Structure formats: structure tokens, C-alpha cells
Amino acid sequence: MAYESKFKRDDIDELFRAILLLQDEEDCYRFFEDVCTVNEIHAIAQRLQVAKLLSEDKTYSEIESITKASTATISRINKCLVYGADGYKRILERLAAEED
């Protein structure tokens, strides 16, 4: 069964299709530098690192020290890992497989 997002809209579909057309890291840097602010890119990268560290069973204080993320951010990401749409989980599994 296909995933049904509660945020689904045509403009978001087009954004995701555009992202799927990115071919390499250079494409990603060029696209995201145009689409996002530097702070938005840093925030997204930080969230992925927090999710990775949570999946490695690091404590909130360890994660806060490593990433400088607030405990509220860490808690929100933990909630996504436990109750979310499995987006972090799927990407973290793929990144781990790529590293092997």
C-alpha cells in the first residue's frame, strides 16, 4: 500500500520530483543553496545527524553535545523515529547500506 501523506499537494509533489532529478552532490548543493537559506540547510543536516545518533542509542546529553541541537529538537526527532512516517528510518538504513 502506498504511503498517504497528510501534507500531499501538487506543488509539494513537483518539489519532490525535482529533488529526485538531482544527480549528484554538486546538483544538491546548487539546488538547495538556491531553494533554502543557509540556516535551513544547517537545520535539516542537524536533524539528520540527531536521528542518526538517536538510532545509535546515544543519550540526549551526548547528542546535544555533539550536534548543539536543543533537547526540544532532539525530543521532536525522537518522536518522529518512534511515531512518524519512517522517513528517517528509511534514509538511515540506506545511508548505512551505502557505507558498507
Side-chain angles (χ1 to χ4, degrees):
M1 180 180 199
Y3 176 71
E4 293 293 328
S5 173
K6 57 188 163 225
F7 303 115
K8 186 164 179 49
R9 297 185 340 202
D10 290 343
D11 59 334
I12 296 173
D13 288 349
E14 187 168 31
L15 170 65
F16 292 159
R17 283 193 308 274
I19 291 169
L20 289 169
L21 293 173
L22 299 172
Q23 296 179 353
D24 54 29
E25 282 186 21
E26 182 179 343
D27 275 358
C28 290
Y29 273 99
R30 288 173 179 269
F31 180 74
F32 283 97
E33 283 181 30
D34 284 350
V35 171
C36 300
T37 66
V38 172
N39 287 340
E40 289 168 335
I41 294 169
H42 287 170
I44 293 166
Q46 181 188 63
R47 290 177 195 144
L48 181 59
Q49 291 307 304
V50 168
K52 181 179 178 183
L53 294 168
L54 283 167
S55 73
E56 294 171 357
D57 295 323
K58 301 286 187 202
T59 66
Y60 276 35
S61 59
E62 288 174 309
I63 296 168
E64 187 177 18
S65 175
I66 293 166
T67 66
K68 308 302 185 230
S70 69
T71 54
T73 296
I74 298 167
S75 178
R76 186 175 68 245
I77 293 166
N78 190 55
K79 183 178 175 184
C80 288
L81 288 170
V82 175
Y83 302 108
D86 289 337
Y88 282 121
K89 179 182 174 189
R90 292 165 63 113
I91 291 303
L92 291 172
E93 287 172 354
R94 292 174 192 170
L95 285 170
E98 191 177 76
E99 290 175 6
D100 291 340

